[in-house]
Amino acid sequence: MSASAGLTSLAYQLPDNRISLQTLEREGVLTSDAAFLRDIGFENCYRYDGTAFDEVRLESARSALSGAAIDGTAVRWLFRYSGLDDDTTAGGFAAGVPVATGSAVPRPESNAETEVLERFRYPVARMQEQLGLTAAAAVSLGQQGCGGLLSALHMARRLATDGEAVLCVAGDALPVHSGREVIYNVMTDAAASVVIEVGARRNRIVHFHQQSMPYYWDTPLHTQELLASYFPLAQRVIEKTLDGAGLVADDIRWVVPHNVNLRSWRILSELIGIPEARVWTDNIARVGHTVSCDHIINLCDMESQGALEKGDRLLLFTFGFGANWSCMILEH
Amino acid sequence: MARTILITGASGMFGREVVPALLAGGECELILLVHESGCGVPAAQLARDMFGLSPEDARHVTFVQGDVREPGLGLNEADHGRVTTTVTHILHSAAITRFDRPLGDVRATNVDGTRHMVALARECPCFEAFGHVSSAYMAGRRTGVVLEDDLVHDAGFVNTYEQSKYEAELYLRDVGDLPLAVYRLSTVVGNSRTGAVLNFTAPHHAMRMMHLGLASMVPGSADYPVDMIPGDVVAEAVAELLLHRFRSGDVFHLAAGPERSYTLEQVIESVFDTFGHLDPEWQRRRYPRPVLASSDAFTMFLDAIEAADNPFFVSVLRTVRHFADQLNYPKVFDMTRLLDRMPEYADRMPNIDDYYPKVIRYCVETDWGRHVA
């Protein structure tokens, strides 16, 4: 592990289809009134209407690699994260993964054995092949909800070595006709990618802390308890992360949020003693809440808008079903 | 001379403790004012069921049907005649103790009810003493040390209960023609010996929320002194003050005092520790302790829940909302006058450590009164 590992390149990809709250309400995919959701900060979501969302993930990965200006062979690890369990369909992981083309050998006739073999057509391996990461070990991560990408970054930090990078690719798309609201948050589809390298000159990972609460694993059953636990554990995890980094709330220039509703951020900012003005909430209205990409989307946009200066300490916080509460501090 | 004591609010948390305490404290006959629901049941059975009295003690207890909200308490002519000709003492503890009721309703019982009791006392030719059970929290949003002499303030109130108890005391202050004393109780939580809770109130509901893993935040600071008192000890003290040490004009705080109390943080620790000891399965869930939040954060949290119209949380927090705000106003109830009159009170009041875990255990084992044997 290197203490100086950081996020050298970040990129994200949103689907083309941007949908207003009114439209979502008309479609009957919201639980709350659109007016209420607007009141707590939301305006839109992005919805992926296609059938091959991995192409969106790939696009973000190519952008991140391009931004890092590294050769694909420098990537030692590829992490592909999905917060939605995509092994629940009859086809296993392979469902929706396009078949390979260009092979010199013909595809065998379908039989009992090939039906089993179909299940071993891994999306992460296809992604590795598509990106040309010939030196990488490709691993799929999942099932940490909105906390998964921060966990992946933390693992990448521990695995990164001099001259070898880690690429984390995350993204999720809800089924087209599914509900678009989860506990007062409007959900958006997105993909995001990050290159982690040792000796990064920006976005150095200072500290990470995560608390998991496995009792809450059955999310629908424990929704009310999760709601009640959200703030106590958020406060505790943020305080532990600050302590672990040897920092106090005043040292933090920006809180980079997961894009949950504004009202919950107002409460949490009061609890952690960081003024609401230092929580970067611009994207709650513009983008909505993604399963795993909020922090990367926000960091990219903060940078492009000139909100970040070298040396700024950034506090990234998220909660994921499962359940886990995670916090990471970066030094820009 | 034989004493006859009319007691209101005998079915409440304090009332059920004070009835046996009065019977133990000296020769007296008790007349208990009860609502309609208590009538029709033989007095001896009612006395045994409500107060655990022996047949011998039950012989000294009778019941009359009435309602403090009505002039003359709504007594029928026969009961009115019996009460006014025999009563020498009144212990008035009937009150709406819920914190979420409209002020008009609460006033009707807690203020007008007091007026009606005073009016009745004036009709009693043998009258000797009127004991009014008030609340130390009539101090409302005051902070710091509250003296027993203190009454009038403009700090405001956290809930309608506090306001009504304040208004009742204001009224009593100007009653000059009756021998009258005021006993301001702190928060009664249970019996010091058994932990039994005879009436589950907002602090018990808050404890239940913690047990259900639904306590998100509590307003106040970690070192806020939470003054709680055991019903039996305070009932014995009031019985002694009324029967043997009565002086008109007395106003006493019956509290625990900071040295015998937990801080807010210690209350939460005690509750979680006791839950964990009682039930390893509960412990395994690792519910987080609630955040000690600023008033602003707590208010935003409650507003967010109401705006989200989450029916489950709205119902859970309805009662808590009306008392938790008191935790933003730390105060200490001075007991100088009480300890002058009753020095042994300090020794009788147990440390919170000695009995609060029993109260928690009782709450858990009865599922907050749902499974009382």
Side-chain angles (χ1 to χ4, degrees):
Chain A
M1 180 182 108
S2 169
S4 61
L7 287 53
T8 53
S9 178
L10 307 89
Y12 72 88
Q13 195 72 27
L14 294 170
D16 295 333
N17 194 8
R18 186 180 184 188
I19 306 171
S20 69
L21 283 178
Q22 291 94 319
T23 304
L24 294 173
E25 188 169 52
R26 245 190 339 266
E27 291 178 0
V29 293
L30 299 177
T31 315
S32 308
D33 294 341
F36 169 72
L37 293 169
R38 190 172 299 107
D39 191 44
I40 61 176
F42 295 103
E43 289 290 344
N44 307 284
C45 80
Y46 287 85
R47 186 164 67 191
Y48 180 70
D49 297 324
T51 56
F53 188 71
D54 248 9
E55 302 308 312
V56 182
R57 293 187 179 101
L58 275 168
E59 195 57 39
S60 75
R62 289 191 180 102
S63 296
L65 286 169
S66 165
I70 57 171
D71 186 272
T73 57
V75 176
R76 181 67 187 85
W77 291 90
L78 166 64
F79 291 151
R80 176 190 180 278
Y81 178 76
S82 168
L84 301 172
D85 191 350
D86 50 8
D87 189 25
T88 55
T89 60
F93 288 110
V97 178
V99 296
T101 56
S103 171
V105 295
R107 198 164 194 87
E109 292 295 317
S110 180
N111 58 35
E113 185 181 347
T114 58
E115 278 179 23
V116 175
L117 290 174
E118 281 290 326
R119 294 177 177 274
F120 295 93
R121 295 183 329 111
Y122 294 129
V124 69
R126 176 175 180 269
M127 179 178 281
Q128 181 187 6
E129 198 270 339
Q130 297 271 308
L131 295 171
L133 307 181
T134 53
V139 178
S140 186
L141 305 173
Q143 303 182 9
Q144 276 214 325
C146 303
L149 185 57
L150 291 192
S151 292
L153 296 178
H154 171 61
M155 292 164 66
R157 175 202 184 198
R158 286 178 168 267
L159 291 168
T161 55
D162 280 341
E164 295 180 334
V166 181
L167 173 64
C168 297
V169 182
D172 285 288
L174 290 164
V176 175
H177 299 296
S178 81
R180 280 280 149 183
E181 182 185 344
V182 175
I183 312 182
Y184 314 120
N185 297 301
V186 176
M187 300 303 296
T188 230
D189 301 332
S193 296
V194 184
V195 175
I196 293 94
E197 292 179 272
V198 171
R201 281 181 292 181
R202 60 179 191 151
N203 295 326
R204 184 175 67 88
I205 299 173
V206 178
H207 197 71
F208 174 76
H209 179 74
Q210 180 175 82
Q211 179 165 344
S212 61
M213 294 288 285
Y215 170 70
Y216 298 133
W217 72 269
D218 189 339
T219 302
L221 178 66
H222 294 299
T223 303
Q224 307 297 355
E225 291 151 285
L226 279 167
L227 274 169
S229 298
Y230 177 79
F231 290 112
L233 288 171
Q235 186 204 40
R236 187 182 305 170
V237 164
I238 289 170
E239 284 180 354
K240 279 199 167 189
T241 310
L242 286 168
D243 283 351
L247 300 173
V248 295
D250 283 348
D251 295 325
I252 299 301
R253 174 67 189 90
W254 285 110
V255 172
V256 183
H258 58 151
N259 294 342
V260 294
N261 71 70
L262 267 178
R263 202 166 279 180
S264 75
W265 271 109
R266 286 189 185 123
I267 296 167
L268 188 54
S269 68
E270 175 77 20
L271 292 176
I272 61 177
I274 297 180
E276 192 187 338
R278 301 213 317 260
V279 182
W280 200 84
T281 54
D282 294 20
N283 272 344
I284 294 174
R286 190 182 77 84
V287 178
H289 177 40
T290 70
V291 173
S292 55
C293 303
D294 289 350
H295 300 99
I296 305 308
I297 295 171
N298 292 341
L299 282 169
C300 288
D301 290 356
M302 290 168 80
E303 181 147 36
S304 67
Q305 291 178 23
L308 301 178
E309 292 183 14
K310 186 164 177 58
D312 280 352
R313 287 176 178 123
L314 312 173
L315 186 149
L316 287 60
F317 170 77
T318 192
F319 157 79
F321 288 130
N324 58 80
W325 282 253
S326 306
C327 184
M328 177 174 278
I329 293 174
L330 301 179
E331 186 173 293
H332 186 64
Chain B
M1 178 184 162
R3 288 166 293 206
T4 300
I5 307 171
L6 175 63
I7 302 173
T8 69
S11 61
M13 173 104 92
F14 169 78
R16 287 171 68 177
E17 297 278 15
V18 85
V19 166
L22 286 165
L23 289 169
E27 208 170 279
C28 56
E29 301 296 317
L30 305 185
I31 301 174
L32 311 188
L33 183 76
V34 294
H35 283 286
E36 197 171 350
S37 58
C39 293
V41 179
Q45 183 186 332
L46 211 51
R48 187 192 65 212
D49 293 349
M50 277 180 82
F51 309 105
L53 298 180
S54 66
E56 172 58 27
D57 280 344
R59 281 185 9 201
H60 298 285
V61 178
T62 55
F63 295 83
V64 290
Q65 179 188 335
D67 185 339
V68 296
R69 291 173 297 183
E70 295 181 28
L73 315 185
L75 297 174
N76 63 36
E77 199 174 323
D79 284 341
H80 183 267
R82 181 162 70 90
V83 166
T84 52
T85 53
T86 59
V87 162
T88 57
H89 294 63
I90 285 176
L91 185 60
H92 175 45
S93 70
I96 290 179
T97 56
R98 284 183 58 171
F99 301 147
D100 59 345
R101 300 287 289 273
L103 183 58
D105 292 356
V106 182
R107 271 186 180 142
T109 298
N110 297 2
V111 184
D112 294 343
T114 303
R115 290 180 209 278
H116 299 149
M117 293 307 298
V118 166
L120 186 84
R122 286 177 175 142
E123 294 184 63
C124 302
C126 310
F127 199 74
E128 295 177 21
F130 188 114
H132 175 74
V133 179
S134 185
S135 167
Y137 290 95
M138 69 89 215
R141 290 193 160 103
R142 284 191 58 184
T143 58
V145 176
V146 181
L147 302 177
E148 289 156 304
D149 285 341
D150 292 347
L151 173 57
V152 177
H153 69 82
D154 58 4
F157 304 95
V158 163
N159 54 56
T160 55
Y161 169 74
E162 292 177 358
Q163 183 172 348
S164 70
K165 297 307 275 188
Y166 173 81
E167 291 177 359
E169 281 204 39
L170 275 185
Y171 162 71
L172 291 172
R173 180 192 60 180
D174 297 330
V175 173
D177 59 335
L178 282 179
L180 197 152
V182 173
Y183 309 120
R184 293 179 186 156
L185 274 51
S186 177
T187 305
V188 180
V189 290
N191 185 287
S192 67
R193 292 180 283 269
T194 64
V197 179
L198 303 175
N199 190 16
F200 291 88
T201 57
H204 305 100
H205 296 311
M207 188 197 296
R208 183 160 184 262
M209 283 177 60
M210 294 185 215
H211 193 255
L212 294 171
L214 298 174
S216 194
M217 60 183 81
V218 175
S221 59
D223 59 355
Y224 177 99
V226 182
D227 199 297
M228 296 187 282
I229 49 175
D232 53 327
V233 173
V234 81
E236 286 161 14
V238 167
E240 172 72 15
L241 290 166
L242 182 72
L243 293 176
H244 304 299
R245 306 192 201 190
F246 182 86
R247 274 189 217 159
S248 187
D250 279 344
V251 179
F252 296 129
H253 281 148
L254 290 105
E259 64 283 358
R260 287 181 176 77
S261 296
Y262 283 145
T263 63
L264 180 55
E265 187 171 49
Q266 288 170 326
V267 170
I268 294 168
E269 287 302 312
S270 176
V271 167
F272 272 74
D273 287 351
T274 307
F275 286 166
H277 286 132
L278 289 172
D279 183 0
E281 181 59 30
W282 184 91
Q283 179 89 319
R284 210 173 63 81
R285 296 175 193 164
R286 296 167 58 218
Y287 286 134
R289 286 151 173 71
V291 181
L292 296 176
S294 68
S295 174
D296 284 350
F298 187 69
T299 302
M300 280 192 282
F301 175 67
L302 293 178
D303 289 346
I305 285 170
E306 287 191 357
D309 201 22
N310 178 323
F312 182 81
F313 265 100
V314 167
S315 72
V316 163
L317 291 174
R318 188 176 294 131
T319 304
V320 174
R321 170 161 214 152
H322 294 278
F323 97 95
D325 190 29
Q326 182 56 247
L327 298 171
N328 291 307
Y329 303 95
K331 54 178 73 71
V332 171
F333 305 112
D334 178 76
M335 293 186 284
T336 303
R337 283 176 173 273
L338 175 70
L339 295 175
D340 280 350
R341 183 68 50 80
M342 186 185 271
E344 69 272 27
Y345 178 85
D347 296 327
R348 289 181 185 170
M349 178 59 62
N351 194 297
I352 186 76
D353 264 338
D354 297 335
Y355 76 94
Y356 192 55
K358 294 180 204 168
V359 174
I360 299 168
R361 174 183 283 270
Y362 182 88
C363 289
V364 172
E365 291 181 346
T366 64
D367 191 14
W368 279 262
R370 287 163 183 76
H371 307 301
V372 178

